[in-house]
Amino acid sequence: MNADLTSKYTSSRLMLLLTALLSGPGYCQSAVQALPDPIPETIQKGDITVVAEPFVHVPQTIDSGKPVTTNTAWARLQYMYPIPDNSGRLVLNDLRGLLYFTDKSGTEPVVYLDLREQEVGFDDSMFPNETGLTGFAFHPGFGDANSPGYGKFYTAFSVDSGSGVSDYLEMDADSHESVVWEWTANTASANQFAGRKRELFRIGQFANNHNIGTLAFNPAATPGSSDYGLLYLSLGDGGGANDPAEYGQSLNVPMASILRIDPLGGATTEAYGIPADNPFINVSNAAPEIWAYGLRHAQHFSFDVDGTMYINDIGQAQIEEVNIGKAGANYGWRVREGTFATAFGIGGVRPNPVYPPPTDMQAYEYPVAQYDHDEGSAISSGFVYRGTEIPALEGKYVFSDLVSGRIFYIETAFLIPGQPAPITELRLMMNGVEVNLAEAVGFPNTYGRGKRAGLRLGIDAAGELYLLTKGDGWVRRLRSVKEGSIELQ
């Protein structure tokens, strides 16, 4: 770690210690009091009920680290998306290094790519819950033989720190490194990868959590438009608690950010290009890849059909939030958590609680929806529903809590940052009865008591939604419940 980073990291640790001491016994309490219940309103179940039907079951996998498993997850399913080639094929990733193909008919998944068998330095042993194959995206021209993106797709994953040289934070890779690789298939229609590969991007990680997450192209961008073929990717704040390296409010390195790059636009000596309209491209000492920042751990983001980006940011200890993506936006972490102030935005108070909303609401881009830890523990996936199987959900943003397995939705019309929309819970039925997903298919929680749902959402080309659960390795398709088929509680 270089001197500047060491100084920053050390000063942050001292600040954490100081705030803890100042809040201990005998300290005169600050006039600003922590909020014991930041959002007292309870999220209620609505009148929309869906049924989860078995779709596909992926093979069982095991963690590569020691101990062999950190929990009993059957498969660490993360995302499911359609390939943008009108083939009906769907792609699933397992954090343990596997990329699967299935299709809209629910064909038995086949392994398309196994990173464990590639010479790319793949390593998920440092923290199987969050590291590994964390994201993928297929170029919008993947199936078009006349496109420069033909056969190209991208993967985000964790690697051993000694496997290459980082573009950023080479000396701050005590835990591992996060990378993006480009793969070019010889034949786009094949269901097993054969072709060539190259490393696109690499950044050091000092801790084992808050890594690289989603990769995505804007599906609303058409050939010739300024956003077509540009790759978006999310990076957490580097890990630890309370952003110890203070990356959240820094533009110097692309942590705690949404990045935007041109994967096919690199010059002779560059792996990728920087879009000319990126918001910080002309800001001194700013990483030009940054599109938006101030995010703690935006593991997942998605685009609506009109190109609107929805960002789910996992909170520290209090607030889970949904944000609208905006070029150049600063979402406030680590001085803000949701619409609330943190200890680092006030000073002289203890960290982890949140404090009354600040008066400078214009200074940051605030959430359009948020919930506290009375309702869930970690926001996971989310999509605006554009399918036809569940008419009542049309146009609503549907999102899930990773641990509790609860599924929520909000109206998307007239969302205003800083004025969080009301959240409603979706009713879920399996095997003829309404269920709590964590109890129905969950597995022992390594973070605390009870069961963990391990829930993610997937989507197909028609905009239909699917549940992905790590505990049992199942993908389930959501459909409307027929009237009279369930007695609601």
Side-chain angles (χ1 to χ4, degrees):
M1 188 182 298
N2 62 37
D4 289 342
L5 286 172
T6 301
S7 176
K8 178 188 291 185
Y9 193 81
T10 301
S11 64
S12 179
R13 293 293 191 190
L14 289 173
M15 181 181 291
L16 284 172
L17 178 60
L18 180 60
T19 53
L21 290 172
L22 290 176
S23 61
Y27 174 66
C28 181
Q29 290 291 320
S30 166
V32 181
Q33 297 296 310
L35 295 171
D37 187 3
I39 306 174
E41 297 79 13
T42 300
I43 296 175
Q44 301 294 327
K45 288 187 177 182
D47 57 4
I48 303 176
T49 305
V50 296
V51 59
E53 300 177 343
F55 181 64
V56 295
H57 193 216
V58 302
Q60 186 176 20
T61 54
I62 60 172
D63 296 331
S64 62
K66 296 179 180 180
V68 176
T69 58
T70 57
N71 57 42
T72 57
W74 177 274
R76 296 189 183 279
L77 295 178
Q78 195 79 347
Y79 302 120
M80 186 178 80
Y81 302 119
I83 298 178
D85 63 353
N86 299 316
S87 68
R89 291 181 294 175
L90 300 167
V91 190
L92 284 154
N93 72 304
D94 183 329
L95 289 175
R96 291 165 175 155
L98 294 146
L99 206 62
Y100 295 99
F101 275 7
T102 182
D103 59 32
K104 60 184 179 181
S105 299
T107 300
E108 183 177 353
V110 296
V111 176
Y112 180 66
L113 177 69
D114 188 342
L115 291 180
R116 301 170 302 181
E117 298 176 353
Q118 301 287 328
E119 296 181 359
V120 292
F122 176 78
D123 188 0
D124 65 345
S125 64
M126 65 289 298
F127 191 39
N129 278 351
E130 290 189 22
T131 57
L133 174 54
T134 56
F136 64 88
F138 281 65
H139 193 281
F142 178 81
D144 182 357
N146 296 314
S147 168
Y150 176 74
K152 294 187 183 298
F153 66 98
Y154 302 85
T155 55
F157 55 95
S158 54
V159 296
D160 179 79
S161 296
S163 61
V165 179
S166 293
D167 301 288
Y168 287 96
L169 302 178
E170 169 66 16
M171 302 303 293
D172 200 21
D174 295 340
S175 173
H176 65 286
E177 293 170 326
S178 288
V179 299
V180 178
W181 278 68
E182 177 187 84
W183 308 79
T184 304
N186 295 333
T187 305
S189 60
N191 287 333
Q192 185 173 14
F193 175 77
R196 61 188 186 276
K197 60 183 181 290
R198 71 182 179 103
E199 185 176 306
L200 201 67
F201 174 83
R202 179 181 291 246
I203 188 168
Q205 301 258 181
F206 66 83
N208 60 14
N209 57 346
H210 303 183
N211 306 280
I212 197 166
T214 297
L215 301 181
F217 292 92
N218 181 356
T222 55
S225 67
S226 61
D227 212 27
Y228 181 78
L230 299 185
L231 181 63
Y232 290 80
L233 56 142
S234 63
L235 278 165
D237 64 9
N242 295 302
D243 189 15
E246 299 184 50
Y247 290 138
Q249 291 302 300
S250 171
L251 289 171
N252 299 131
V253 294
M255 284 291 196
S257 303
I258 303 289
L259 279 58
R260 179 176 180 253
I261 63 174
D262 182 355
L264 305 182
T268 304
T269 59
E270 298 170 337
Y272 56 89
I274 303 296
D277 59 348
N278 268 14
F280 303 108
I281 194 169
N282 294 316
V283 175
S284 178
N285 296 320
E289 297 91 342
I290 296 175
W291 185 77
Y293 69 112
L295 295 159
R296 179 179 178 271
H297 192 198
Q299 240 182 32
H300 187 252
F301 63 88
S302 65
F303 290 94
D304 193 6
V305 293
D306 65 354
T308 301
M309 179 193 288
Y310 289 79
I311 305 170
N312 290 352
D313 195 18
I314 299 174
Q316 174 65 49
Q318 299 290 334
I319 306 298
E320 307 300 310
E321 59 187 82
V322 177
N323 295 281
I324 298 298
K326 179 180 177 182
N330 177 359
Y331 295 94
W333 177 251
R334 74 175 183 165
V335 295
R336 300 287 182 267
E337 188 175 342
T339 58
F340 302 92
T342 70
F344 305 98
I346 296 175
V349 293
R350 62 190 179 96
N352 288 336
V354 291
Y355 298 84
T359 57
D360 62 339
M361 294 295 284
Q362 298 79 22
Y364 302 101
E365 192 74 11
Y366 286 95
V368 295
Q370 60 183 4
Y371 62 93
D372 64 16
H373 284 198
D374 290 341
E375 306 289 350
S377 300
I379 192 169
S380 56
S381 315
F383 299 94
V384 176
Y385 182 74
R386 297 298 180 187
T388 59
E389 292 282 352
I390 315 170
L393 283 180
E394 167 60 28
K396 294 177 173 60
Y397 182 67
V398 182
F399 56 102
S400 56
D401 187 84
L402 176 67
V403 180
S404 71
R406 298 176 72 184
I407 306 169
F408 305 117
Y409 59 89
I410 58 172
E411 300 289 348
T412 57
F414 310 113
L415 290 174
I416 301 174
Q419 298 181 25
I423 298 173
T424 306
E425 184 175 0
L426 192 66
R427 294 177 179 268
L428 180 67
M429 186 176 87
M430 292 173 60
N431 301 318
V433 296
E434 188 175 357
V435 298
N436 172 294
L437 196 64
E439 291 301 318
V441 300
F443 56 101
N445 189 2
T446 52
Y447 289 93
R449 296 177 180 177
K451 289 186 176 181
R452 179 182 182 88
L455 174 65
R456 300 283 176 174
L457 302 182
I459 196 167
D460 65 17
E464 301 300 340
L465 291 174
Y466 298 76
L467 306 185
L468 286 62
T469 47
K470 291 178 169 64
D472 61 0
W474 271 99
V475 178
R476 295 174 174 87
R477 177 166 39 202
L478 294 185
R479 296 186 184 276
S480 290
V481 172
K482 294 180 180 179
E483 186 176 354
S485 63
I486 181 173
E487 181 178 349
L488 300 181
Q489 302 299 313

